[in-house]
Amino acid sequence: VVMPGAVDRAPGGERPPALEGGVLAADQRSANRASGIMRELVETIVLTLVIFFLVRTVIQNYRIDGISMEPNFHNGQFLIINKLAYHLGEPARGDVIVFRYPRDPSRDFIKRVVGLPGDTVEVRSGRVIVNGEVIDEPYGPSPGTYDSEPVTLPADELFVMGDNRNNSSDSHIWGALPMQNVIGKAVASYWPPSDWGLVTNQAAANR
């Protein structure tokens, strides 16, 4: 007779071995937990990659190499570039842009837009003349001392110049910039901390 609450024991007083079904159930739960963790890890990695590539289609960082944009932008300064700016809008005189150098597309340059499609641009004694008038440049470029002949821009080209006029390889040397070479518009500076802030177009704001 088995008393209520008593535990069956094998001969010799030992407990019987665990039921095989219980072991299998425990193993299955462990496998399910491991599978769930692995699935969450894969989903997190995929989501991170998707976000990364989406962000890279909209913005890009750019490190300035050289002094062609002094005194406003400096060697080693890091900027954020909006790559959708000219897919959603049109360039404006005074915009700071990053583009593929027409003579060597493997190199990226940074310059300022001074001439727009349809404009006639020339330089006289360092003064930039657009459509017969000296343009206002409130961003304060370092003046140049050279002349360049008038150039009328077709519908898909820009005239770009560095702010450090005498130390810049730009449109006054190699000609107009095709819009298809433009990567995007500089919108912010994030390094070094002393240069942190938005990149504004004072020329457009004053019009």
Side-chain angles (χ1 to χ4, degrees):
V1 177
V2 178
M3 298 298 293
V7 178
D8 290 342
R9 294 181 180 273
E14 297 180 355
R15 291 180 181 274
L19 295 177
E20 183 178 352
V23 173
L24 291 176
D27 289 346
Q28 186 63 45
R29 286 194 296 271
S30 297
N32 289 342
R33 283 197 298 269
S35 176
I37 293 172
M38 182 60 66
R39 184 172 58 253
E40 290 179 4
L41 179 60
V42 170
E43 289 174 351
T44 300
I45 292 173
V46 170
L47 180 60
T48 300
L49 290 173
V50 169
I51 293 173
F52 172 79
F53 285 114
L54 285 175
V55 168
R56 292 294 289 180
T57 63
V58 177
I59 64 173
Q60 174 179 319
N61 65 323
Y62 176 79
R63 180 185 184 276
I64 297 176
D65 183 15
I67 61 171
S68 72
M69 290 299 288
E70 295 281 358
N72 296 304
F73 302 93
H74 318 295
N75 184 47
Q77 185 173 351
F78 282 84
L79 305 177
I80 294 175
I81 309 303
N82 179 357
K83 298 170 70 174
L84 291 182
Y86 302 130
H87 293 281
L88 303 176
E90 298 295 327
R93 187 173 296 112
D95 284 355
V96 176
I97 64 172
V98 171
F99 57 90
R100 291 178 291 275
Y101 177 38
R103 293 185 178 178
D104 181 2
S106 68
R107 301 172 63 191
D108 293 345
F109 278 16
I110 181 170
K111 305 294 175 188
R112 193 181 295 273
V113 176
V114 297
L116 300 170
D119 285 345
T120 297
V121 183
E122 60 182 307
V123 181
R124 290 284 176 262
S125 300
R127 297 184 303 168
V128 180
I129 301 170
V130 178
N131 301 326
E133 297 184 359
V134 177
I135 63 171
D136 180 32
E137 298 190 277
Y139 38 84
S142 179
T145 57
Y146 55 80
D147 296 339
S148 70
E149 294 300 314
V151 175
T152 298
L153 301 170
D156 59 349
E157 295 187 353
L158 304 171
F159 197 96
V160 297
M161 301 177 73
D163 288 351
N164 191 357
R165 296 289 159 80
N166 281 336
N167 296 280
S168 175
S169 173
D170 52 37
S171 290
H172 90 275
I173 295 175
W174 41 258
L177 172 70
M179 276 295 300
Q180 65 184 16
N181 285 52
V182 176
I183 296 171
K185 175 183 176 181
V187 294
S189 171
Y190 68 93
W191 192 264
S194 58
D195 292 324
W196 185 90
L198 298 178
V199 176
T200 58
N201 184 344
Q202 299 173 10
N206 290 347
R207 285 198 292 273

